[in-house]
Amino acid sequence: MPFCPNCKYEYVNGIDKCPDCGADLVDELPPEIILNEADWVVVYTTSFDYEAEMLKGNLESAGISVTILSQKDSNFPTPGDLSIIKLLVKKEDADNAVSFLNEFKKNLESENQEDETE
């Protein structure tokens, strides 16, 4: 039976793509990442899922292992945001990740300034 690597759902044979997220299904799920607190460092916090996912993708494209720790509960509607989403990297990658995030932020700010001047 195929599985979605993102949603972790199992589907019947014959389905190739996850109907929820659009990912290609796989025969086996990858092993879960075991977080040992001593091995990981928080390099970024946000309140927005999309921001955490975007930065995770950018860090992974730079060869940095990243995991997202979220305590959001979308089943309990409340006004505002009551939880923080954290990006964690392995300790040995922390300096590279922070440098990468700072450069990314700097590039984003310069693009925004260029857009404002046009």
Side-chain angles (χ1 to χ4, degrees):
M1 293 257 176
F3 297 90
C4 175
N6 297 329
C7 304
K8 311 288 190 253
Y9 296 132
E10 182 178 2
Y11 292 95
V12 296
N13 288 329
I15 296 178
D16 296 330
K17 289 204 178 277
C18 176
D20 293 325
C21 71
D24 291 329
L25 300 182
V26 296
D27 291 331
E28 291 182 7
L29 289 175
E32 291 292 319
I33 296 174
I34 298 173
L35 294 179
N36 182 349
E37 188 176 341
D39 296 336
W40 295 81
V41 176
V42 175
V43 293
Y44 193 81
T45 59
T46 183
S47 297
F48 304 106
D49 290 322
Y50 71 87
E51 185 177 15
E53 290 293 339
M54 178 192 68
L55 292 173
K56 178 182 183 211
N58 281 293
L59 286 166
E60 287 176 337
S61 72
I64 299 171
S65 296
V66 184
T67 192
I68 296 175
L69 178 62
S70 176
Q71 297 172 330
K72 278 189 173 257
D73 184 0
S74 58
N75 295 318
F76 185 67
T78 60
D81 194 3
L82 303 175
S83 64
I84 299 289
I85 302 165
K86 300 175 183 177
L87 279 180
L88 295 103
V89 299
K90 293 182 179 178
K91 269 189 179 177
E92 60 267 16
D93 293 333
D95 291 336
N96 290 338
V98 170
S99 296
F100 184 90
L101 290 171
N102 288 336
E103 188 67 28
F104 185 81
K105 183 179 176 184
K106 193 165 123 182
N107 290 339
L108 199 59
E109 288 172 355
S110 69
E111 286 178 12
N112 288 340
Q113 287 176 351
E114 287 175 10
D115 289 343
E116 290 174 3
T117 59
E118 291 179 1

